[in-house]
């Protein structure tokens, strides 16, 4: 069998495995409260982003 060199920017199977193990290790070591806090922060940021987009779409019109 011919072994082909991976293309630039592509990860090998060993690299993908190492990355997934590292991510799993990080998620296991993190306290549950920190995971929940990050989740709520992300949700809040999404809501704020959606609100600012709707405000920009209103082109400065005031809401009553």
């Amino acid at each position: 069998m011919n072994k082909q060199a991976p293309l630039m920017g592509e990860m090998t199977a060993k690299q993908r495995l190492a990355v997934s193990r590292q991510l799993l290790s990080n998620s296991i070591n993190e306290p549950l409260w920190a995971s929940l806090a990050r989740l709520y922060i992300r949700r809040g940021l999404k809501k704020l982003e959606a609100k600012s987009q709707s405000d920009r779409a209103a082109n400065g019109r005031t809401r009553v």
Side-chain angles (χ1 to χ4, degrees), residues 46-60:
K46 285 181 183 178
K47 287 180 183 178
L48 286 175
E49 184 178 316
K51 184 178 184 319
S52 68
Q53 286 176 352
S54 68
D55 288 347
R56 277 185 259 143
N59 290 330

Side-chain angles (χ1 to χ4, degrees), residues 4 18-19 23-24 28 52 58:
Q4 294 179 350
V19 168
L23 291 172
L24 180 61
I28 290 173
S52 68

Side-chain angles (χ1 to χ4, degrees), residues 18-50:
V19 168
S20 66
R21 284 182 176 170
Q22 184 63 42
L23 291 172
L24 180 61
S25 172
N26 288 346
S27 66
I28 290 173
N29 292 333
E30 183 178 50
L32 180 61
W33 65 266
S35 299
L36 291 174
R38 185 182 317 103
L39 175 71
Y40 287 115
I41 290 170
R42 284 182 183 158
R43 284 184 182 174
L45 289 174
K46 285 181 183 178
K47 287 180 183 178
L48 286 175
E49 184 178 316

